[in-house]
Amino acid sequence: MDDNHQLKSSGKALEPGARPTLKTIAFMTGLGITTVSRALKDAPDIGMETKERVRLVAAQLGYQPNRAGVRLRTGKTNVIALVLSIDEELMGFTSQMMFGISEVLAGTQYHLVLTPHVHQKDPMVPVRYILDTGSADGMIISRTLPDDPRVALMTERNFPFATHGRTDMGICHPFHDFDNEAYAFEAVKRLVASGRRRIALLAPPAKLSYYIHTRIGFERGLAAFGATEVSMGRMTSEAPLSDLRSYCADLMRSADPPDGIVSISGSSSIALIAGIESAGKRVGHDVDIVSKQSAEFLNWIRPEIHTVNESVRLAGRELAKAVIARIDGVAPELLQSVSSPVWSSMAPRH
């Protein structure tokens, strides 16, 4: 008695609400379970007509392989883990990143699992958990440091990963990054072209890799175009928005306020605008702002702001492609990309 006969003798198809299995597909097609399994794996000894019939029924039933079973058979989870700080949800960062990754994974056997963490806590905790439990085949991380212990650990474990941002630690690994150096340089150039000479930079925290790139571009711009820097003190793009608003208001009321501001963050720029206006000043008249944004919204509320769009969705797609290729054994030096600033069509021109 074969497995197909055993299944038919039960006289049952899929119970309402039950998850479809290989047995379900076998019952619906009249084939044996082994035949169904091999057809779904595109085995060469199974006829094309049979494969197409099995795939059609599987698609109609919404069949998905059981990940626990797949792991037992192959040692793989078919999971890509995305480790993000919960603070990155502001302005839709997380959702856009997930959209981009999902666009690539949709055509593969891989599934995306989001692993959130609080960036003030040890960022090694979620990475160690994934490595120690074997709960993913590859990992994507963000908020990279110049000397990032997560990168060192995953490299030591020979675990496939890709980073949103670069490192500077002598380890070749897959990454996708935004060219913050080019952005900051061009931002200063645009402000000087608008007649601005006293320029402040709202930068990311100094520990992050992209702080260095931003700072280099900003300082190159100041030197190239004859501008001077106005300090933002201890304010960074991750300061509480209320603190940033208050600081900016006090700065604009000071004896020597900036007449131009370069911002690395769209959400922070909203706080800057609020601070400028609470000090009785006007954006585009008393001070110009150049801001990076991950969603095109700043020019809706202040058309006079110069804006650059950083596509987090594009970053998600590039990172997903990189980590899958790394799982497949592609050399890491072939899986590195940097996207250039794209100036908004809504931004003012000079």
Side-chain angles (χ1 to χ4, degrees):
M1 183 181 294
D2 65 14
D3 52 14
N4 184 45
H5 181 79
Q6 288 177 337
L7 183 62
K8 283 185 173 181
S9 67
S10 70
K12 291 184 180 180
L14 184 64
E15 295 289 341
R19 176 175 177 167
T21 66
L22 292 176
K23 288 185 179 181
T24 313
I25 300 171
F27 179 85
M28 299 296 289
T29 58
L31 299 169
I33 295 174
T34 301
T35 301
V36 168
S37 175
R38 292 183 61 74
L40 289 172
K41 293 176 182 176
D42 200 26
D45 59 327
I46 305 296
M48 185 56 64
E49 183 179 343
T50 300
K51 290 178 184 177
E52 290 177 356
R53 180 154 56 106
V54 169
R55 289 168 185 162
L56 176 61
V57 172
Q60 290 173 335
L61 292 173
Y63 170 77
Q64 292 289 337
N66 182 285
R67 290 216 295 261
V70 170
R71 184 174 179 181
L72 284 173
R73 291 192 304 272
T74 68
K76 293 189 65 175
T77 63
N78 288 344
V79 168
I80 302 297
L82 171 62
V83 181
L84 287 181
S85 165
I86 58 174
D87 304 273
E88 291 178 301
E89 177 52 33
L90 199 59
M91 295 303 170
F93 181 97
T94 299
S95 59
Q96 288 301 309
M97 176 69 75
M98 291 180 69
F99 279 144
I101 295 171
S102 298
E103 286 173 338
V104 173
L105 299 191
T108 74
Q109 75 269 34
Y110 293 102
H111 303 267
L112 177 64
V113 172
L114 175 64
T115 303
H117 73 99
V118 179
H119 78 253
Q120 291 95 337
K121 297 184 178 179
D122 184 2
M124 293 292 289
V125 171
V127 174
R128 284 198 192 98
Y129 174 83
I130 292 167
L131 292 175
D132 292 344
T133 60
S135 52
D137 297 330
M139 199 183 317
I140 296 171
I141 63 172
S142 65
R143 296 180 60 82
T144 51
L145 312 178
D147 187 3
D148 200 310
R150 299 170 299 172
V151 169
L153 179 60
M154 288 188 285
T155 301
E156 178 185 327
R157 297 276 191 98
N158 197 29
F159 186 83
F161 68 95
T163 64
H164 187 211
R166 286 164 280 180
T167 60
D168 185 21
M169 53 196 300
I171 293 177
C172 182
H173 62 83
F175 66 76
H176 178 77
D177 203 358
F178 177 80
D179 195 341
N180 287 287
E181 180 178 344
Y183 160 68
F185 180 84
E186 179 65 23
V188 174
K189 180 180 179 180
R190 290 194 172 218
L191 288 173
V192 172
S194 301
R196 307 307 186 181
R197 288 292 185 274
R198 293 176 44 78
I199 302 174
L201 172 65
L202 182 65
K207 67 179 181 179
L208 298 177
S209 292
Y210 79 112
Y211 167 84
I212 299 171
H213 307 143
T214 303
R215 190 76 214 173
I216 290 172
F218 182 71
E219 292 181 0
R220 281 203 305 115
L222 295 179
F225 306 115
T228 58
E229 180 177 5
V230 177
S231 173
M232 286 293 291
R234 296 183 178 180
M235 289 294 107
T236 74
S237 59
E238 294 184 1
L241 297 184
S242 57
D243 292 354
L244 187 54
R245 177 187 183 277
S246 297
Y247 184 91
C248 185
D250 291 341
L251 184 62
M252 295 308 296
R253 293 190 189 103
S254 67
D256 295 303
D259 57 13
I261 301 175
V262 177
S263 173
I264 204 72
S265 160
S267 55
S268 297
S269 295
I270 294 176
L272 294 175
I273 293 167
I276 290 167
E277 294 180 352
S278 70
K281 303 294 179 68
R282 287 165 45 203
V283 176
H285 183 268
D286 301 293
V287 59
D288 278 315
I289 295 178
V290 180
S291 180
K292 192 170 71 166
Q293 59 182 0
S294 57
E296 195 161 324
F297 66 93
L298 285 174
N299 292 125
W300 294 354
I301 59 176
R302 291 294 182 276
E304 57 273 19
I305 296 177
H306 302 258
T307 52
V308 157
N309 299 318
E310 177 184 3
S311 176
V312 179
R313 194 165 183 164
L314 168 65
R317 290 196 297 267
E318 293 300 313
L319 290 166
K321 288 187 286 187
V323 75
I324 290 173
R326 189 68 188 120
I327 291 170
D328 291 339
V330 177
E333 60 267 23
L334 302 177
L335 305 173
Q336 301 172 337
S337 57
V338 179
S339 60
S340 300
V342 177
W343 292 88
S344 172
S345 59
M346 299 176 66
R349 297 177 184 273
H350 295 276

